Every structure is written in structure tokens, then in C-alpha cells.
Amino acid sequence: KITGIDSICAGGCTIFFATGNIRSMFAWNPIAGLSCTICDTVTACPVVTTTYEATAIDPLGCKDSASYKVTVMPLPVLKVISEPNTFPITLCRGTPLQLIASGAWSYVWSPNLFLSCDSCANPVATDTFNMVYQLTGYTAFGCVDSMPVRISVLDTNYNIVGNDTAICIGTKAQLFAFSHSVNGNLDQPTYLWSPP
């Protein structure tokens, strides 16, 4: 008889136990993914669904066997796009952006900043900083995987730079630049002139 947990997520392991007559020895087949091929207790880490067979041999040479199927459940295959679909994912400051996750049964977004929902597939990202979210997806079987989701925020400032000008050698000209947020003074501008 073999007992244990008969399903795992891809990349996982399970432990199961074979029982037989007192002082029985065991022979397992196939041996791929097993921690021990002659023990009564084994750790199995199969990469695909596998049926194992344990043959118990008692001190008198009597044999009996039992089989045990370990089902390997797939991990979620996560994908995230935005609406409108841009890659990398970008949004204009002050403009909401719909994120669309797929490949899992349920989702968790972390951190839960600037999102309309942290446990749904399609949250709306709002005014934010450049962020890297961690999206964790779960299958209906409880298998889990995660991925980073980077969102870049584009500046919405209204920018003006003075007109081109010509000067004589040894004279001066006043240069100017102006920047103002079109969304309620969200951005305090800084300036860098090049070449100096």
C-alpha cells in the first residue's frame, strides 16, 4: 500500500510511504525524480505526471506491488498588457491606465498603491510614480507563480523654450525655459542646460 499526497505543482515535490510485511525491502520504478529507490519513504519530484510502482519483498522472498500516480499541475503562465497596449507599459501622469493580466485563476498585486484593486485581474493604475509591481497568480489547483510589472510614468508638463537666436561674438543673449504641470501642479520642474 502507498499513501501520501498525489498531486503537486510543477517544480514541487511530495513525500509518500509504502507499507508491507515487517522487514520488507522495497524497489521503486521508475527511479527518475525519487530521493531513494529502496526505501519505504521517498520524496518524489517528477517533472511530468508519473505513476510509480513499489515492489515490497519480505525476508522470505515473497513479493507484492502497488502503484501510485503523482499528478503534476501546471504553474500559471502570467502575462500583462495595458489598454491601450504599450510595451513597456507607460501612462501619462494624471491619466488612468487599465492593466490586463491573464494566465491565472486569481491574482494579487503588490504593493497595493495607486491601483483600483489589488486582487483582480484588471486593475486601473492611476496617477503614480514609476513603479514595479509584483503580480502573483494562482491556478485553481493552488499552484503559484509571480512576475514583476514595471510601469513608467510620463511627464505631462507643458514646456516652452525660447526661440533660436543669433548674437555677435562677445555679446550676451537671455535664454529661457518654462515648464508647468497640466494636471494641477503635480510636477515641480527642474532644468538642465546642455552644453553648459
Side-chain angles (χ1 to χ4, degrees):
K1 178 180 176 181
I2 304 173
T3 57
I5 297 172
D6 62 359
S7 64
I8 60 171
C9 296
C13 298
T14 185
I15 298 174
F16 42 84
F17 314 91
T19 55
N21 291 336
I22 296 174
R23 294 189 303 277
S24 290
M25 296 179 55
F26 295 89
W28 291 89
N29 189 41
I31 61 174
L34 293 181
S35 61
C36 180
T37 60
I38 59 171
C39 304
D40 60 348
T41 302
V42 297
T43 299
C45 305
V47 295
V48 296
T49 296
T50 303
T51 299
Y52 292 99
E53 183 178 71
T55 301
I57 307 167
D58 70 13
L60 300 175
C62 297
K63 299 180 181 180
D64 193 17
S65 61
S67 61
Y68 192 77
K69 182 178 180 180
V70 178
T71 303
V72 178
M73 304 293 189
L75 298 178
V77 180
L78 297 173
K79 181 179 178 183
V80 177
I81 61 171
S82 62
E83 184 57 48
N85 190 5
T86 60
F87 189 82
I89 298 174
T90 56
L91 67 82
C92 293
R93 192 177 303 280
T95 304
L97 180 71
Q98 179 85 55
L99 301 174
I100 301 168
S102 61
W105 183 66
S106 64
Y107 304 87
V108 175
W109 296 82
S110 178
N112 62 352
L113 302 173
F114 311 112
L115 295 175
S116 61
C117 173
D118 66 352
S119 60
C120 58
N122 305 324
V124 175
T126 57
D127 201 35
T128 183
F129 305 103
N130 291 339
M131 291 286 290
V132 178
Y133 293 99
Q134 191 69 18
L135 174 62
T136 303
Y138 299 86
T139 67
F141 307 108
C143 298
V144 61
D145 201 6
S146 62
M147 67 176 287
V149 179
R150 179 179 300 277
I151 298 180
S152 299
V153 180
L154 301 180
D155 192 3
T156 57
N157 278 13
Y158 175 68
N159 300 306
I160 299 174
V161 179
N163 294 329
D164 292 346
T165 189
I167 60 172
C168 295
I169 294 176
T171 60
K172 298 179 182 179
Q174 180 71 50
L175 304 178
F176 75 91
F178 173 77
S179 181
H180 177 72
S181 174
V182 295
N183 286 304
N185 208 20
L186 293 170
D187 300 301
Q188 297 302 318
T190 58
Y191 301 93
L192 176 65
W193 293 90
S194 180

